[in-house]
Amino acid sequence: MNAFWLVSIIIFITTTFLLSKVTLKKYQTEIGEKMWKSYGSRTYYWKLLLLISFGITALIVFVLKMVV
């Protein structure tokens, strides 16, 4: 059971890191520097990023559970 949680956490951290590397600069330039400095814009971005990363992690874990 501990291996399951360890693998899940590693997948979650990895997907969050990769998604942030891909989307962060685009999102910052899209909304502008002044809006990015406001707390609400950054919070919205990170909440959405973590939600998407959680969904991808759940999908990967589900597929791994079906295969193994």
Side-chain angles (χ1 to χ4, degrees):
M1 190 62 159
N2 288 337
F4 169 76
W5 288 110
L6 183 63
V7 170
S8 298
I9 290 170
I10 290 171
I11 292 171
F12 179 74
I13 290 171
T14 304
T15 55
T16 304
F17 177 75
L18 292 175
L19 283 173
S20 69
K21 285 294 182 186
V22 170
T23 61
L24 185 62
K25 292 292 183 189
K26 184 180 185 304
Y27 186 76
Q28 283 178 342
T29 57
E30 189 175 300
I31 67 166
E33 187 66 30
K34 186 174 181 179
M35 284 296 291
W36 178 252
K37 288 184 179 181
S38 73
Y39 180 73
S41 295
R42 288 183 293 186
T43 303
Y44 174 75
Y45 170 75
W46 286 107
K47 272 197 318 190
L48 186 61
L49 185 78
L50 291 175
L51 182 64
I52 292 170
S53 182
F54 176 74
I56 292 171
T57 302
L59 183 67
I60 291 171
V61 168
F62 177 73
V63 169
L64 288 175
K65 284 285 238 184
M66 296 300 283
V67 171
V68 174

